[in-house]
Amino acid sequence: MPVLVITGTGTEVGKTVTTAAVAAAALAAGRSVAVLKAAQTGVTPDERGDADEVVWLAGPVTADEIARYPEPLAPGTAARRAGMAPVHPHEVADRAAKLATEHDLVLVEGAGGLLVRFDAAGGTLADVARLLNAPVLVVATAGLGTLNTTELTARELRRRELEFAGVVIGSWPDSPDLATRCNVADLPVVAGAPLLGALPARAGALPPAEFRTAAPTWLAPRLDGTWDAEAFKVRQAPPAFA
């Protein structure tokens, strides 16, 4: 798995923090890691972007970013409004392939969800995954509504015949409600793919040293972690007729 594409079921689902956790776990396992942000939006040139945030949390990761647009919009829209050149899927794939020759693992983080458009031709992160023949990791929310958005994303991945690596819950609440606890069992069913981790709420606010130590405990062995999905399901399962 030299390249892993990371998307979300929407925006603000914990995608960047999850990318940082995957990077930190891989580093702890002795692997060299690069993170590629295809298109950064809503950030000025002197502000820290998502790739920089991954480095801050995870440690010595090679950070790369293809384009940056000032308004917090879909990349294609942000590029058009700024009068700047858009990012195209083949550019992202070419950059990721080059990084893969120099690193054990390349994490390609998208913007928003799987089908957010990069350019006027309708290029998306799904096209990047196809060009790279890379598996896709989906970051989902924990609570009510996540089953629908996760299943829609999973169906699109399968329609495009892309490899679906699994699902990570981007922010697990301190006090999960009934729907959230039920979702632990239901998410892998609707996704048709394994649950590969759950990050605690506010994980991104941890001091970097604590984040790096804890990250492997949030992720399954496939992501260089120690997290046990079945044990987590048992702990979170609601009693019958709760």
Side-chain angles (χ1 to χ4, degrees):
M1 189 173 58
V3 179
L4 178 65
V5 173
I6 299 180
T7 190
T9 55
T11 191
E12 302 298 328
V13 298
K15 196 164 57 268
T16 297
V17 179
T18 298
T19 301
V22 174
L27 287 171
R31 305 169 74 188
S32 60
V33 181
V35 59
L36 174 61
K37 183 70 177 183
Q40 177 70 63
T41 65
V43 176
T44 61
D46 58 343
E47 290 182 306
R48 192 165 71 188
D50 290 345
D52 302 312
E53 189 68 20
V54 172
V55 175
W56 166 254
L57 290 170
V61 172
T62 298
D64 198 1
E65 181 185 283
I66 294 179
R68 177 174 290 208
Y69 307 109
E71 294 181 310
L73 303 168
T77 305
R80 184 179 70 249
R81 284 181 51 83
M84 299 170 66
V87 172
H88 302 291
H90 70 84
E91 296 177 272
V92 184
D94 289 347
R95 187 77 65 89
K98 183 179 184 303
L99 288 168
T101 66
E102 304 160 348
H103 299 81
D104 298 322
L105 176 64
V106 179
L107 304 174
V108 180
E109 183 185 343
L114 182 69
L115 298 185
V116 170
R117 295 190 172 198
F118 287 139
D119 56 23
T124 68
L125 193 66
D127 297 310
V128 174
R130 176 182 54 80
L131 289 168
L132 290 165
N133 194 28
V136 179
L137 181 69
V138 174
V139 182
T141 57
L144 201 63
T146 194
L147 299 180
N148 180 63
T149 54
T150 301
E151 184 166 1
L152 287 171
T153 302
R155 288 188 181 192
E156 184 62 17
L157 287 169
R158 293 200 174 84
R159 187 184 74 81
R160 293 173 178 253
E161 298 183 339
L162 298 173
E163 181 182 349
F164 188 0
V167 178
V168 170
I169 296 172
S171 180
W172 184 258
D174 298 329
S175 300
D177 60 17
L178 177 61
T180 300
R181 293 160 68 193
C182 288
N183 286 342
V184 175
D186 292 340
L187 270 171
V189 175
V190 301
L195 192 59
L196 295 180
L199 276 63
R202 300 175 300 282
L206 290 172
E210 291 183 27
F211 184 93
R212 296 166 196 174
T213 299
T217 69
W218 305 330
L219 301 169
R222 183 172 180 184
L223 297 175
D224 296 308
T226 59
W227 184 81
D228 185 336
E230 293 307 315
F232 188 77
K233 289 178 187 177
V234 170
R235 290 198 305 272
Q236 302 299 335
F241 307 108

